[in-house]
Amino acid sequence: DKGEFRHYMMKEIYEQPKVINACLEGRISENKVLTSCFGADSDFLKEVENVHIVACGTSYHAGLVAKYWIEDLAGVPCAVEVASEYRYRNVAVPKNTLFLTLSQSGETADTLAALRKAKEQGYLTTLAICNVPSSTLVRESALTLLTNAGAEIGVASTKAFTTQLTALLITSVAIAVEKGLSAEKESALVQAMRSLPAYVNAALLQDEHIQKVSDRFANKQHALFLGRGAMYPIALEGALKLKEISYIHAEAYPAGELKHGPLALVDENMPIITMVPHNDMLDKLKSNMQEVAARGGELYVFADRSTNLHNEDNIIFTEVPKVEEILEPIVHTIPLQLLSYHVAVVKGTDVDQPRNLAKSVTVE
Ligand code: M6R
């Protein structure tokens, strides 16, 4: 039932505050992550020295964000790979490596094959972050953390992604605590997580503005998404959403790579969508944007107002609420979902059932 919404995708975008809350429920206390959420056997948190994350599509992008969190908070090396590559190569598995899969459906053929292979490789244990409790992935993994997003009908993944990120943040902090993260930092992170549903609600308030912005995309052939740090995987996800439901060719690059090639594509017909974090990368990103503006590229900037970018000429600005840095990848996802949705509606594509795609890819 789509309720008041025209498409499942929009309904699912708007469900995010509620389902992120459901994902946090019972996993955090006042100021701690509750390791009981990994089941009775949470000893792996003490032993883990490496993490391998394997997934496909949007779930893979969630894994890429987690690499930034796990290495930053816990200092534990983390490698992320698409399942279709992982399953067919010889992988070096260091001692005490956690094998972590991410999947909305828990039925993706490549992800299941990767898990089956990993079980022969001497990993510390296997953990699935998954949305479907009765899925094959959950059944075959030693440990599970459910995302609790509820059924996702739209082929374009929205709430499944932000709840995966929430579950990954819980996991990253849980590992970091065992590696010596201070109680004070843990408490600050947990407090921040508690605010997530409200932040996502605030991000949704830009819907009408984003709808207006999206009109400008209707006749575009291409788009370039830029991000830096943990916002780079969000740029990848924004580009995937736009391709998937609007059929606009979109690419994502870490902004620092511009001069190494993609800048050649930039002219007045190229919209550049930039997710601006509020950290020490801000100034670097601003100079990347100048490089683009100098070539006539049309700049769409998603940022909070303290970046002062809303005052700049030549920028089409969309406000994103100012949040703790660790949460920026989650909150910045919302406007990108809305953008791709509205562009698809303007173009008249089948939003919930894009051509050539299936909700879950159960055959290779
Ligand atoms: O069910 P899974 O999370 O394993 O699915 C993985 C991908 O097929 C999926 O995320 C796909 O990329 C989505 N359609 C993206 O919106």
Side-chain angles (χ1 to χ4, degrees):
D1 178 20
K2 294 195 277 260
E4 60 187 288
F5 298 98
R6 197 165 143 199
H7 298 99
Y8 281 107
M9 182 180 176
M10 198 53 147
K11 171 175 179 265
E12 289 161 1
I13 289 174
Y14 271 84
E15 275 172 359
Q16 289 175 112
K18 191 182 82 196
V19 295
I20 288 172
N21 199 45
C23 182
L24 289 169
E25 178 92 47
R27 276 93 185 252
I28 53 174
S29 69
E30 202 49 43
N31 47 19
K32 286 194 160 320
V33 163
L34 300 172
T35 53
S36 54
C37 66
F38 298 101
D41 193 15
S42 62
D43 281 358
F44 77 94
L45 292 168
K46 294 190 180 64
E47 288 158 46
V48 57
E49 289 170 34
N50 275 281
V51 181
H52 285 177
I53 300 180
V54 174
C56 301
T58 289
S59 298
Y60 167 67
H61 295 155
L64 290 174
V65 174
K67 177 184 169 75
Y68 286 87
W69 289 340
I70 292 171
E71 298 206 352
D72 180 40
L73 297 173
V76 168
C78 176
V80 192
E81 191 166 357
V82 288
S84 54
E85 287 300 315
Y86 176 93
R87 65 180 289 194
Y88 289 120
R89 70 181 189 92
N90 292 320
V91 179
V93 183
K95 199 170 121 266
N96 288 334
T97 302
L98 168 68
F99 184 79
L100 200 173
T101 53
L102 294 162
S103 176
Q104 188 287 126
S105 62
E107 303 298 345
T108 299
D110 285 324
T111 309
L112 287 173
L115 171 65
R116 286 166 190 156
K117 171 181 165 141
K119 286 165 96 174
E120 312 292 312
Q121 307 281 310
Y123 280 94
L124 177 62
T125 190
T126 56
L127 168 65
I129 291 183
C130 187
N131 194 37
V132 180
S134 58
S135 64
T136 312
L137 193 73
V138 166
R139 253 193 341 265
E140 296 191 9
S141 299
L143 304 164
T144 306
L145 187 57
L146 293 173
T147 46
N148 296 342
E152 191 181 65
I153 311 283
V155 165
S157 183
T158 53
K159 62 177 181 168
F161 179 65
T162 48
T163 53
Q164 280 172 343
L165 289 175
T166 306
L168 284 164
L169 188 52
I170 292 168
T171 307
S172 307
V173 175
I175 296 173
V177 166
E178 294 298 338
K179 302 293 159 194
L181 186 82
S182 70
E184 201 185 327
K185 279 202 177 138
E186 181 183 13
S187 170
L189 288 163
V190 169
Q191 301 299 328
M193 284 186 221
R194 210 176 280 293
S195 309
L196 249 181
Y199 291 153
V200 170
N201 251 324
L204 287 167
L205 295 178
Q206 294 300 315
D207 191 4
E208 235 171 84
H209 165 76
I210 294 170
Q211 184 173 7
K212 285 188 203 116
V213 171
S214 67
D215 286 343
R216 308 175 67 117
F217 278 76
N219 49 19
K220 297 280 191 246
Q221 305 290 321
H222 309 278
L224 186 57
F225 286 72
L226 298 178
R228 268 181 180 265
M231 222 66 111
Y232 165 53
I234 302 306
L236 287 169
E237 176 59 10
L240 176 61
K241 287 285 92 92
L242 196 67
K243 284 184 253 216
E244 204 175 12
I245 59 170
S246 321
Y247 315 149
I248 292 176
H249 167 224
E251 291 203 54
Y253 271 92
E257 278 288 296
L258 263 178
K259 284 182 187 154
H260 300 283
L263 201 52
L265 291 170
V266 176
D267 62 14
E268 57 288 349
N269 296 318
M270 179 64 94
I272 320 284
I273 298 110
T274 313
M275 265 68 62
V276 181
H278 200 148
N279 58 22
D280 47 9
M281 282 314 210
L282 179 60
D283 285 339
K284 294 223 181 296
L285 204 65
K286 281 183 176 168
S287 77
N288 296 142
M289 291 193 286
Q290 272 155 16
E291 284 160 5
V292 168
R295 273 97 192 161
E298 208 171 48
L299 271 172
Y300 295 81
V301 167
F302 294 83
D304 72 60
R305 278 175 162 257
S306 64
T307 59
N308 258 327
L309 287 163
H310 57 290
N311 289 324
E312 307 256 328
D313 298 335
N314 313 323
I315 283 184
I316 298 152
F317 182 83
T318 298
E319 182 174 357
V320 183
K322 184 158 177 5
V323 302
E324 290 81 352
E325 190 184 338
I326 193 92
L327 302 180
E328 284 184 325
I330 303 177
V331 177
H332 268 75
T333 298
I334 310 302
L336 295 180
Q337 295 170 342
L338 291 169
L339 180 72
S340 62
Y341 174 81
H342 288 301
V343 175
V345 170
V346 175
K347 292 193 70 175
T349 61
D350 188 344
V351 174
D352 285 332
Q353 188 50 259
R355 65 186 183 201
N356 310 336
L357 298 178
K359 179 65 182 161
S360 68
V361 184
T362 54
V363 285
E364 195 181 346

